[in-house]
Amino acid sequence: MIEVSYLEKEKNVEALEIKGHANYADEGQDIVCSAVSAIGVGGLNALENIDDIDIICEKGYISVKGKGLNSGHNQIVIRTIIIQLYTIEKSYKKFIKISKS
């Protein structure tokens, strides 16, 4: 299962973590993993001024945090990632779980 967690304080997303594998299908055929990866990596590519953002992007793991996320543009990007992931969760609840703290 893919686990997504994000930290929100004072209406700003301060951190986002995506980890695990959906196990919906065999590697290379897993549409849930592919969708989550595309959303996560695509979102990372849209962030601006990443010098103030700690980003880890490895197979099965994405972590994003840092004061650079507080810019208006980066908040829109991070929130768009989260909204897209919630959309996937609606259809594939057995394979992705999102939690907010």
Side-chain angles (χ1 to χ4, degrees):
M1 174 177 278
I2 295 172
E3 296 176 1
V4 178
S5 60
Y6 64 100
L7 174 64
E8 186 175 34
K9 287 188 180 175
E10 299 177 17
K11 299 184 181 182
N12 275 335
V13 176
E14 293 190 350
L16 171 67
E17 182 180 62
I18 304 168
K19 63 182 178 180
H21 296 281
N23 296 315
Y24 176 81
D26 293 335
E27 187 173 337
Q29 303 296 313
D30 194 322
I31 61 171
V32 178
C33 273
S34 294
V36 170
S37 294
I39 290 166
V41 173
L44 294 180
N45 289 334
L47 294 171
E48 293 181 337
N49 303 319
I50 61 170
D51 292 339
D52 291 335
I53 302 173
D54 297 322
I55 299 172
I56 300 171
C57 184
E58 301 171 349
K59 186 174 182 177
Y61 185 77
I62 293 174
S63 173
V64 185
K65 59 186 173 184
K67 64 181 182 179
L69 288 180
N70 292 332
S71 77
H73 172 84
N74 288 343
Q75 279 298 298
I76 290 169
V77 171
I78 264 320
R79 289 187 180 283
T80 299
I81 292 169
I82 292 167
I83 289 166
Q84 291 174 325
L85 293 172
Y86 272 119
T87 301
I88 294 172
E89 184 188 44
K90 284 181 184 178
S91 297
Y92 298 95
K93 292 181 181 187
K94 293 181 181 179
F95 305 98
I96 178 171
K97 180 179 180 185
I98 302 173
S99 61
K100 173 184 165 185
S101 52

